[in-house]
Amino acid sequence: MMLEWILENFWSFWLIMMLLLISVQVMTGEMTFLLISAGALTAVIADVLGAPIYVQFIIVTVISIASLIWLRSFDTKRPENDSGPSPWSVNRYVGRVGDVTEEVTTSQGRVRIGNEIWSARTYSTTPIPMETPVVIQQIEGAIVWVATTPESFES
C-alpha cells in the first residue's frame, strides 16, 4: 500500500531530496549540492510529466553531472600563467591587507578583510593593536594568520 503510493508519487521523493540538498548547501556554502538539487528538480518535473522512474534517475544523473561540469568550467577559465589560488578559494586572501578590529594575539583577535570579519591570530608574541593594517599570511579553516605591514611600523 505505502510502496504503491511512493511509486505513484515519486516526485515527492525528488522534492524531499532537493530540499535536503538545498539545506546542505545553505549550511556548508558548497555550490555542488545546489547543482545536484537542480537535477532533483528536473526529476520532479519529469515525474509530473509521467516519465518512468528509470528515466528520472537518468535525468538526475545527466543534469547533475552537466551542472558540475558547468561549474568547473568557471574555475578552469583562468589564464594559464596564473598559478595563484583559485578565485573561488579562501586562499585568495593570502597576501591581502586587512585591518585589525579587535587586538590580535597568538590566541585571539579579529581582522576585517574587505567586508568580512575573520578570527585572527599572529605568530608574533607582540599583540597587534586595533586599527593596525596587517597582511594575511595563511588561512587555517576560519582563522587567518596575520603579520603587521611595513606601513604599520611607520605610523
Side-chain angles (χ1 to χ4, degrees):
M1 181 74 170
M2 182 67 153
L3 182 61
E4 288 176 20
W5 185 88
I6 291 172
L7 292 175
E8 289 174 8
N9 299 291
F10 210 67
W11 61 268
S12 59
F13 167 77
W14 294 120
L15 185 64
I16 291 168
M17 290 302 296
M18 182 182 77
L19 294 173
L20 287 173
L21 288 164
I22 290 172
S23 299
V24 171
Q25 189 276 328
V26 167
M27 290 187 293
T28 64
E30 180 65 38
M31 185 79 163
T32 305
F33 296 104
L34 185 63
L35 295 175
I36 295 172
S37 72
L41 176 63
T42 58
V44 168
I45 295 168
D47 187 66
V48 169
L49 295 175
I53 292 176
Y54 74 91
V55 171
Q56 295 171 34
F57 277 101
I58 292 170
I59 289 172
V60 166
T61 304
V62 169
I63 296 297
S64 297
I65 290 172
S67 297
L68 293 172
I69 291 170
W70 173 77
L71 177 65
R72 179 76 179 131
S73 71
F74 287 106
D75 196 31
T76 57
K77 287 183 180 175
R78 296 169 49 216
E80 288 183 31
N81 60 357
D82 182 7
S83 60
S86 164
W88 304 99
S89 167
V90 294
N91 288 325
R92 69 186 180 276
Y93 292 127
V94 174
R96 286 186 54 186
V97 175
D99 293 310
V100 175
T101 59
E102 200 176 286
E103 182 179 70
V104 177
T105 65
T106 57
S107 61
Q108 65 183 13
R110 297 211 179 267
V111 171
R112 177 184 306 277
I113 309 169
N115 294 329
E116 299 177 10
I117 302 290
W118 285 73
S119 294
R121 308 289 183 269
T122 182
Y123 292 116
S124 171
T125 55
T126 307
I128 304 172
M130 285 181 57
E131 300 181 11
T132 304
V134 290
V135 65
I136 311 309
Q137 294 180 315
Q138 178 180 348
I139 297 178
E140 290 179 2
I143 298 174
V144 295
W145 289 86
V146 299
T148 53
T149 63
E151 294 85 33
S152 60
F153 290 120
E154 295 170 4
S155 51

